[in-house]
């Protein structure tokens, strides 16, 4: 990455210091840290997973030293979903209720998790706290469960993700070792890429501190106005997406501003939005121009290009843990452990 270029962009932004908590929050409900030999429940709460994806998920989890317990309905299929809502819900509940299961990993995302939210037994989950891991559509589960129970969940690789050296190291640091304070490093491989989607830039300088919440932009926009999304006020919000045209990103950010109070957040950490540029000759702002247009005027520290999203090298971000964003240093620091 060209840090001189980054510094020039920093100079164009107004530095802001946000100290984000309006009132003390209740202590988060921490899951137990995962260890080699633990049993992981593998489920598909969203879309159907094919044979190749399932094999990859199994191989990934075994390589980390875990034992596996497959959801009863893991291979179910109903249209684009991994079985009916009830089948997917049953697997989620069963894994939380099963004392032999130490953590729960979503084999893939896709679509369908938000359909489950009204029927989830949140008391069951609160009484049986376990690490729940996934991203993309799993954003719906992570936010709803945190909002209703206080349980810290993990926006990280799904089972079938590319388990690169960076991805594995970040997962181990957060979910297995519980490092804190822990400065999540940028991926060196991401920084080498010439694709502009991987090039960090500041929207507005400064530092901000608050509880981390967020996830996939499309899912957060779809959840805005429902009783399943934690409020944005005073939080450090993280956002990522893939394959969305700038006008759609504009629309979703506008939705979060109007229906979620995104402007009351402490700061915004943005991951990699790959394949989100307009087509050649298309009448459109660029991705960077769109993000700047919708977020810079909110007046809080915000930075684009941190190492999370629909990419090979992705970090693991816990929802509900105190963190600090430093735009100038392009850093996100977890200030407390996410596991016990």
């Amino acid at each position: 990455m060209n840090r001189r270029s980054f510094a020039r962009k920093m100079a164009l932004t107004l530095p802001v210091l946000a100290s984000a908590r309006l009132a003390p929050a209740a202590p988060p409900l921490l899951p137990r840290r995962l260890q080699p030999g633990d049993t992981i429940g593998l489920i598909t709460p969203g879309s159907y997973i094919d044979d190749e994806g399932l094999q990859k998920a199994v191989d990934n989890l075994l390589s980390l030293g875990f034992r596996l317990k497959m959801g009863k309905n893991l291979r179910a299929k109903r249209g684009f979903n991994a079985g009916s809502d009830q089948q997917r819900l049953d697997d989620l509940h069963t894994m939380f209720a099963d004392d032999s299961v130490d953590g729960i990993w979503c084999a893939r995302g896709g679509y369908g998790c938000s359909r489950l939210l009204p029927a989830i037994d949140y008391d069951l989950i609160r009484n049986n706290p376990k690490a729940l891991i996934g991203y993309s559509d799993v954003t719906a589960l992570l936010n709803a469960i945190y909002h209703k129970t206080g349980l810290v969940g993990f926006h990280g690789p799904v089972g079938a993700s590319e388990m690169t050296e960076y991805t594995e190291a970040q997962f181990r640091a957060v979910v297995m070792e519980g490092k804190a304070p822990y400065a999540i490093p940028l991926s060196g491989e991401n920084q080498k890429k010439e694709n502009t989607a991987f090039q960090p830039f500041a929207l507005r300088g400064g530092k901000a501190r608050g509880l981390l919440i967020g996830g996939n932009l499309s899912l957060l926009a779809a959840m805005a106005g429902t009783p399943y999304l934690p409020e944005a006020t005073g939080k450090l919000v993280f956002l990522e997406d893939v394959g969305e045209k700038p006008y759609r990103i504009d629309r979703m950010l506008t939705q979060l501003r109007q229906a979620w109070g995104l402007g009351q957040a402490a700061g915004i950490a943005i991951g990699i939005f790959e394949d989100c540029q307009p087509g050649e000759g298309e009448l459109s702002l660029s991705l960077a121009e769109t993000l700047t247009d919708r977020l810079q005027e909110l007046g809080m520290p915000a930075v684009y290009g941190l190492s999370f999203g629909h990419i090979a090298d992705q970090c693991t971000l816990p929802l509900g843990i105190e963190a600090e964003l430093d735009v100038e240093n392009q850093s996100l620091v977890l200030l407390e452990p996410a596991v016990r």
Side-chain angles (χ1 to χ4, degrees):
M1 183 197 69
N2 188 330
R3 290 187 176 270
R4 291 182 180 176
S5 174
F6 182 85
R8 285 196 298 270
K9 291 174 181 175
M10 277 292 304
L12 297 175
T13 64
L14 296 175
V16 176
L17 177 63
S19 133
R21 300 280 291 283
L22 298 183
L29 180 58
L30 300 182
R32 185 178 67 78
R33 70 187 62 209
L34 297 180
Q35 305 171 23
D38 281 350
T39 297
I40 301 297
L42 193 62
I43 62 173
T44 46
S47 290
Y48 172 77
I49 189 167
D50 60 20
D51 292 343
E52 182 179 357
L54 179 57
Q55 186 60 57
K56 191 172 186 178
V58 169
D59 292 343
N60 281 339
L61 272 61
L62 292 177
S63 72
L64 289 168
F66 297 130
R67 300 176 180 179
L68 297 184
K69 188 162 192 175
M70 306 288 194
K72 176 183 176 182
N73 301 298
L74 183 67
R75 302 314 312 282
K77 179 163 56 173
R78 182 177 183 271
F80 44 75
N81 286 140
S84 67
D85 290 353
Q86 190 61 55
Q87 286 176 308
R88 289 177 285 118
L89 186 67
D90 286 347
D91 277 0
L92 179 70
H93 286 160
T94 296
M95 292 303 181
F96 271 106
D98 189 339
D99 290 337
S100 72
V101 172
D102 301 294
I104 304 167
W105 210 319
C106 301
R108 66 157 299 178
Y111 169 73
C113 293
S114 58
R115 293 172 57 105
L116 306 183
L117 303 185
I120 290 176
D121 185 341
Y122 295 101
D123 287 335
L124 169 69
I125 293 174
R126 184 184 299 107
N127 293 327
N128 297 276
K130 299 175 184 180
L132 175 65
I133 307 142
Y135 79 113
S136 193
D137 200 64
V138 184
T139 291
L141 295 180
L142 297 174
N143 279 277
I145 289 172
Y146 169 66
H147 185 48
K148 296 292 188 180
T149 72
L151 177 62
V152 171
F154 300 93
H155 182 277
V158 293
S161 289
E162 291 292 332
M163 196 61 68
T164 67
E165 182 178 343
Y166 174 88
T167 299
E168 180 178 336
Q170 300 315 304
F171 174 81
R172 288 183 180 275
V174 175
V175 187
M176 301 181 73
E177 300 169 23
K179 289 185 176 181
Y182 180 64
I184 299 173
L186 293 180
S187 158
E189 290 300 314
N190 288 345
Q191 293 182 77
K192 293 177 186 177
K193 295 181 183 294
E194 295 183 1
N195 185 337
T196 56
F198 288 82
Q199 297 174 7
F201 65 91
L203 286 87
R204 195 171 182 93
K207 295 181 180 180
R209 181 180 289 202
L211 295 177
L212 273 176
I213 61 169
N216 180 259
L217 174 61
S218 297
L219 267 294
L220 294 173
M223 295 175 74
T226 74
Y228 306 107
L229 188 62
E231 66 175 22
T233 301
K235 305 295 198 310
L236 270 185
V237 174
F238 65 93
L239 305 169
E240 64 83 22
D241 221 315
V242 65
E244 298 287 358
K245 293 292 187 181
Y247 81 90
R248 292 174 60 87
I249 293 170
D250 181 301
R251 185 181 68 202
M252 291 185 284
L253 290 174
T254 299
Q255 171 77 359
L256 292 184
R257 288 176 54 156
Q258 296 177 355
W260 191 38
L262 182 61
Q264 303 306 310
I268 302 176
I270 308 171
I272 306 296
F273 279 53
E274 193 169 16
D275 191 28
C276 290
Q277 293 289 2
E280 185 176 354
E282 193 171 35
L283 189 63
S284 174
L285 296 178
S286 68
L287 170 64
E289 289 169 334
T290 300
L291 293 173
T292 300
D293 177 82
R294 290 286 74 200
L295 299 177
Q296 189 179 79
E297 68 182 15
L298 297 182
M300 68 195 64
V303 63
Y304 172 87
L306 303 187
S307 298
F308 62 91
H310 285 66
I311 52 177
D313 275 8
Q314 60 172 298
C315 64
T316 296
L317 298 176
L319 273 75
I321 291 299
E322 185 86 7
E324 182 176 79
L325 175 69
D326 185 333
V327 173
E328 185 172 7
N329 292 313
Q330 307 159 52
S331 72
L332 188 61
V333 180
L334 305 182
L335 299 175
E336 54 188 351
V339 289
R340 54 183 169 83

